[in-house]
């Protein structure tokens, strides 16, 4: 099952590379619980500086949270088929789901809204949430590079409040994986510290607002 965003930034010519990677992973691991990501070499160039920075933050904190959760279960996070040089591109809008994984995520399993409104889950979560659920289902994750435009041809990002958009996804992540408040706060601070977004006063203010929004539910639960 292949999915592509409708922003005009996903070339159909990249499709064979995703299929080849899926074929390889299926043969190597003996199953089709696999997810192939069409990875961008840069997040900032196609999406703009602000969105690229925030998406990188979300990807990095997501991997921290998933590794922590799996470690509690005694399971490693296999990333051997991912490129990783620029961070695993979890929120790429170009994904190929193996048959077994697609059946598990989209037929057998009910969506877990994990404390965020259902409308926000469907509005903001179609890239982040299935990746997390796939990794919980012991899927193999792979990446292949894909083409992008320097600037997405079609985008409604400017109409969104980035604090709410990325804050909802971080809230969902922390709730879904039962992450303690102190641990979530530490990961956020660790990853935010490395962003170029902190080089401007506006960027620092945005990151501070996002931190408050993302951790608010966990703080309420601790009271």
């Amino acid at each position: 099952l292949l999915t592509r965003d409708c922003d005009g930034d996903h070339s159909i010519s990249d499709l064979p590379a995703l299929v080849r990677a899926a074929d390889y992973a299926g043969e190597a691991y003996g199953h089709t619980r696999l997810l192939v990501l069409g990875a961008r070499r840069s997040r900032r160039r196609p999406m703009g500086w602000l969105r690229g920075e925030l998406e990188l933050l979300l990807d990095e904190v997501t991997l921290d949270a998933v590794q922590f959760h799996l470690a509690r279960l005694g399971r490693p996070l296999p990333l051997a088929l991912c490129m990783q040089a620029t961070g695993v591109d979890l929120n790429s809008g170009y994904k190929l789901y193996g048959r077994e994984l697609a059946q598990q995520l989209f037929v057998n399993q009910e969506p877990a809204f994990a404390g965020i409104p259902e409308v926000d889950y469907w509005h903001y979560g179609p890239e982040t949430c299935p990746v997390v659920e796939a990794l919980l289902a012991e899927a193999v994750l792979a990446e292949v590079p894909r083409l992008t435009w320097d600037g997405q041809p079609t985008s409604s990002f400017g109409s969104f409040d980035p604090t709410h958009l990325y804050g909802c996804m971080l809230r969902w992540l922390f709730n879904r994986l039962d992450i303690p408040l102190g641990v979530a706060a530490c990961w956020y601070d660790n990853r935010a510290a490395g962003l170029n977004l902190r080089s401007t006063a506006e960027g620092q203010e945005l990151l501070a607002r996002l931190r408050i929004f993302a951790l608010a539910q966990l703080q309420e639960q601790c009271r």
Side-chain angles (χ1 to χ4, degrees):
L1 174 67
L2 183 105
T3 63
R4 292 194 299 163
D5 275 355
C6 57
D7 55 19
D9 190 39
H10 305 80
S11 173
I12 197 66
S13 64
D14 284 320
L15 174 57
L18 272 72
V19 173
R20 281 195 298 269
D23 284 345
Y24 168 80
E27 291 178 7
Y29 289 87
H31 60 73
T32 57
R33 293 190 314 278
L34 51 94
L35 176 55
V36 182
L37 309 173
R40 298 159 289 189
R41 292 175 176 84
S42 168
R43 291 168 179 78
R44 299 174 186 90
R45 290 188 64 150
M47 297 188 298
W49 188 57
L50 173 62
R51 188 179 173 191
E53 289 281 285
L54 294 176
E55 197 156 300
L56 181 61
L57 173 65
L58 176 59
D59 281 349
E60 291 179 336
V61 174
T62 298
L63 283 180
D64 288 336
V66 171
Q67 289 188 80
F68 179 86
H69 181 79
L70 293 182
R72 291 189 294 192
L73 301 176
R75 288 167 45 193
L77 176 61
L79 298 175
L81 299 184
C82 295
M83 298 186 295
Q84 301 188 58
T86 56
V88 184
D89 194 359
L90 302 180
N91 279 281
S92 167
Y94 211 154
K95 290 183 170 72
L96 187 150
Y97 298 85
R99 178 177 290 272
E100 291 177 68
L101 181 63
Q103 177 76 26
Q104 170 68 24
L105 297 188
F106 307 127
V107 179
N108 299 343
Q109 185 172 313
E110 292 294 325
F113 300 123
I116 69 169
E118 183 175 347
V119 65
D120 290 336
Y121 176 92
W122 293 117
H123 200 177
Y124 303 131
E127 305 304 344
T128 304
C129 299
V131 173
V132 173
E133 298 293 355
L135 292 172
L136 296 183
E138 301 186 68
V140 173
L141 198 63
E143 282 186 306
V144 294
R146 69 170 173 89
L147 299 172
T148 58
W149 293 80
D150 284 350
Q152 291 179 323
T154 304
S155 177
S156 58
F157 177 75
S159 64
F160 296 153
D161 172 9
T163 302
H164 189 74
L165 191 167
Y166 292 98
C168 278
M169 286 297 90
L170 289 169
R171 277 187 178 183
W172 178 87
L173 176 72
F174 298 147
N175 288 335
R176 180 70 179 91
L177 301 181
D178 193 24
I179 304 299
L181 172 62
V183 175
C186 181
W187 289 334
Y188 184 91
D189 293 340
N190 290 349
R191 298 305 186 176
L195 295 177
N196 293 328
L197 191 57
R198 296 182 68 252
S199 64
T200 68
E202 294 88 344
Q204 292 176 25
E205 291 170 4
L206 173 58
L207 288 170
R209 292 197 306 273
L210 179 56
R211 186 184 193 276
I212 292 170
F213 187 99
L215 299 176
Q217 278 191 346
L218 295 183
Q219 290 175 319
E220 287 294 326
Q221 293 167 13
C222 290
R223 292 177 182 173

